[in-house]
Amino acid sequence: MTEDKKPSGPDLTKGVSLSEFKDGKLLGHVGEEDVLLVQAGSEIFAIEPLCSHYHGPLAEGLVVGDTIRCPWHHACFALRTGEATRPPALSALAVWDVAREQDRITVARKREALKPSTAHRSAPTPEKFVIVGGGAAGFAAAETLRREGFAGAITMLSSDGAMPVDRPNLSKDYLAGNAPEDWLPLRGEDYYRDAGIDLGLNTNVAAIDPKTRSVTLGNGDKLPFDRLLLATGAEPVKLQIPGADQPHVHTLRSVADSRAIIKASGSAKRALVIGSSFIGLEVAASLRARKIEVHVVAPEERPMQKVLGSEMGDFIRSLHEENGVIFHLKDTVERIDGIRATLKGGGVIEADLVVAGIGVKPRLVLAEQAGLAVDHGVSVSEYLETSVAGIFAAGDIARWPDPLSRQTIRVEHWVVAERQGQTAARNMLGRRERFDAVPFFWSQHYDVPINYVGHAENFDDVSVDGSIKDRDCLLKYRKGGRVLAVASIYRDLDNLKAELDMERAHA
């Protein structure tokens, strides 16, 4: 808490009554610390009031059973223990003991913090689990294995040079200059050491052999495994035009990519963003925050129309235009000569910084070579197991049976990858837990957050409750009369409720 910030609400050590609660919650303090009281059924819990992910206000969240969900990015916490039970939050919250006499509730002692599990120290087991990939799914799986008490060896192999990071930040706050680099790692180096996770960075995996149950590294070393998680993620689609290989032309996926764009933006006067994807437009917003002139070239009639519909597409375009972005839609870049980008429509844009955000493709080579079933992604069961027993897949590469849309789907969302990593980890331990979480993602454009829950590959009807232009709306995307997805701006609680409805629809 900052020095000048006064604690919130009443002093909970002196006691409060239930009549003071609003919507089952009351924000107060114990000493200098803010504490949120939450009523769940007949019980009262006391918990830290800000989400451990990006500090979303849990007082505005949704209580489900004995858990509370964050209104911003749908993390979930156990009210009894403070444990983060759903990503994107990974760290537990503090909890306090609550005493209750009739209608009088007092908060006393803060409990000992939950420690990340180091169960492997006491009784190591001979099993060897290997995780290929250092992104959201791979990290969440390793962390969950230890949290669930797995005491065998965990080896995590990442082709990246950076420890697992909070990738959404790379196109948002970090790129805009609003977040320091030390915010990026999901955990510090000491975490891997203490948890006994062998993290191999800059490590190339050449092959997976399901018969001998081994992984061959790029240097020829072989690593045996009992269970394997394939979480190789996706890579940016490369521009296939003359001049795309010049040093001022970038894609954005890794920390190194984001650093390179930040470095280039130090001297750049004008940037060209190719593609009006979420990544492309977040990059555009971040570069505008750095006072660079930004042009966006994309073949669509409206940005994000395929995902969010025409009205939201028009809103996003005008929001970016209000912030100085210049659009060249229904057009493509044909070639880049030095800093001159020539458009198919005949226009020329001179830009000393170019970022291509034209989509990503799943990294499937290892899976294909290993003989795993592949269909525009690695085919997995409801337990995230591939066609080979003991080998699992999660994250951007996994195509799984989605109970809501009743289709097999592959989704490139950060939170989905984290949640799949957790489920895959538990199933590597033999739990047989179905992956049926409702997909969720968020996108940030200047001061406007867009939350999206569900998955609609296409839709035939969009209903709008509220006003898109007034930045207060809930959109429902239907196909054949069924709601497949919901998007919102500043309707966080409604978005959480929509997620819960979708979960209950296929429970």
Side-chain angles (χ1 to χ4, degrees):
M1 188 177 296
T2 53
E3 296 294 310
D4 53 357
K5 186 176 182 301
K6 293 207 164 35
S8 303
D11 181 347
L12 301 178
T13 61
K14 296 195 167 111
V16 290
S17 80
L18 261 183
S19 60
E20 296 172 62
F21 280 55
K22 183 173 182 285
D23 299 328
K25 303 185 198 86
L26 176 69
L27 186 60
H29 67 274
V30 172
E32 292 294 304
E33 293 186 276
D34 284 355
V35 175
L36 180 67
L37 288 179
V38 180
Q39 185 175 16
S42 60
E43 294 183 90
I44 307 287
F45 298 100
I47 194 162
E48 201 177 321
L50 299 180
C51 176
S52 62
H53 175 234
Y54 285 178
H55 309 304
L58 296 178
E60 296 167 25
L62 182 66
V63 176
V64 182
D66 60 357
T67 67
I68 189 164
R69 299 183 181 190
C70 175
W72 286 3
H73 306 129
H74 295 212
C76 183
F77 299 91
L79 289 166
R80 285 176 205 291
T81 62
E83 185 180 9
T85 58
R86 284 188 183 193
L90 298 166
S91 300
L93 297 176
V95 289
W96 283 259
D97 288 329
V98 176
R100 187 172 179 183
E101 276 185 43
Q102 277 120 8
D103 187 34
R104 201 81 188 142
I105 295 140
T106 52
V107 180
R109 196 176 58 86
K110 189 177 184 177
R111 286 199 212 140
E112 282 293 304
L114 276 180
K115 290 276 186 292
S117 173
T118 49
H120 67 286
R121 288 199 183 275
S122 49
T125 60
E127 297 138 312
K128 297 179 174 68
F129 283 13
V130 172
I131 297 167
V132 181
F139 174 81
E143 202 245 9
T144 302
L145 287 170
R146 286 296 181 237
R147 212 195 277 194
E148 296 282 345
F150 174 66
I154 302 175
T155 306
M156 195 170 166
L157 306 170
S158 174
S159 57
D160 203 313
M163 290 187 300
V165 293
D166 178 28
R167 185 176 292 125
N169 232 322
L170 297 182
S171 60
K172 299 180 176 80
D173 285 343
Y174 175 62
L175 185 59
N178 301 328
E181 192 161 313
D182 58 12
W183 280 16
L184 292 178
L186 292 172
R187 287 276 190 258
E189 259 175 275
D190 54 349
Y191 167 79
Y192 299 93
R193 185 185 63 242
D194 294 346
I197 295 167
D198 183 10
L199 175 61
L201 299 176
N202 291 313
T203 303
N204 187 33
V205 174
I208 293 163
D209 188 336
K211 289 195 180 63
T212 62
R213 307 301 258 189
S214 68
V215 169
T216 305
L217 304 183
N219 63 6
D221 287 356
K222 282 197 171 10
L223 200 64
F225 64 82
D226 296 299
R227 298 266 187 288
L228 177 83
L229 175 64
L230 204 53
T232 45
E235 61 193 6
V237 174
K238 293 272 194 293
L239 269 181
Q240 302 293 330
I241 58 170
D245 55 353
Q246 295 179 95
H248 70 294
V249 180
H250 300 261
T251 53
L252 176 55
R253 184 72 181 173
S254 65
V255 178
D257 294 340
S258 197
R259 274 192 202 126
I261 295 168
I262 289 169
K263 188 176 179 206
S265 71
S267 57
K269 300 281 187 290
R270 185 182 295 133
L272 166 61
V273 174
I274 302 175
S276 64
S277 64
F278 283 107
I279 288 283
L281 292 181
E282 287 176 356
V283 166
S286 293
L287 293 176
R288 285 300 297 136
R290 292 179 177 272
K291 304 286 187 276
I292 295 169
E293 184 183 316
V294 177
H295 292 252
V296 174
V297 175
E300 296 86 6
E301 188 180 347
R302 296 177 178 87
M304 305 315 311
Q305 181 171 347
K306 187 175 182 299
V307 178
L308 295 175
S310 55
E311 272 193 84
M312 196 72 119
D314 286 338
F315 166 75
I316 289 170
R317 175 181 178 163
S318 63
L319 174 63
H320 280 271
E321 287 177 336
E322 281 164 30
N323 283 277
V325 173
I326 300 151
F327 283 93
H328 308 261
L329 296 171
K330 297 201 276 191
D331 213 340
T332 53
V333 179
E334 286 203 317
R335 66 179 190 278
I336 304 171
D337 307 296
I339 63 166
R340 285 170 60 87
T342 304
L343 308 189
K344 190 176 182 185
V348 172
I349 298 168
E350 293 199 354
D352 37 13
L353 169 58
V354 179
V355 182
I358 53 174
V360 296
K361 57 181 184 189
R363 292 189 173 114
L364 301 176
V365 174
L366 284 175
E368 288 167 341
Q369 290 173 347
L372 306 181
V374 168
D375 170 24
H376 304 290
V378 179
S379 300
V380 294
S381 70
E382 60 195 320
Y383 307 111
L384 303 180
E385 195 164 23
T386 67
S387 55
V388 174
I391 298 182
F392 296 77
D396 291 357
I397 60 168
R399 179 174 286 279
W400 81 96
D402 171 45
L404 185 71
S405 60
R406 301 168 195 160
Q407 296 176 316
T408 60
I409 64 173
R410 190 180 67 77
V411 170
E412 294 156 358
H413 301 336
W414 177 253
V415 176
V416 171
E418 290 185 306
R419 290 181 180 175
Q420 285 189 342
Q422 291 190 336
T423 300
R426 289 192 277 267
N427 289 331
M428 289 165 82
L429 297 172
R431 297 283 164 81
R432 304 295 283 169
E433 180 183 299
R434 286 170 59 215
F435 181 76
D436 57 8
V438 177
F440 167 80
F441 75 86
W442 80 94
S443 188
Q444 181 80 28
H445 304 259
Y446 312 98
D447 59 344
V448 178
I450 298 169
N451 280 7
Y452 180 101
V453 66
H455 183 73
E457 304 231 335
N458 46 60
F459 43 87
D460 45 33
D461 172 52
V462 185
S463 67
V464 181
D465 179 51
S467 162
I468 296 176
K469 77 170 170 42
D470 293 338
R471 306 173 186 193
D472 172 28
C473 57
L474 190 82
L475 287 77
K476 292 182 176 171
Y477 300 84
R478 289 189 189 83
K479 175 93 174 168
R482 292 174 62 233
V483 175
L484 293 183
V486 170
S488 64
I489 299 174
Y490 292 125
R491 289 275 187 98
D492 294 342
L493 192 58
D494 289 339
N495 199 286
L496 280 171
K497 287 174 178 171
E499 179 182 55
L500 186 61
D501 288 344
M502 289 179 195
E503 286 169 16
R504 288 177 170 163
H506 61 67

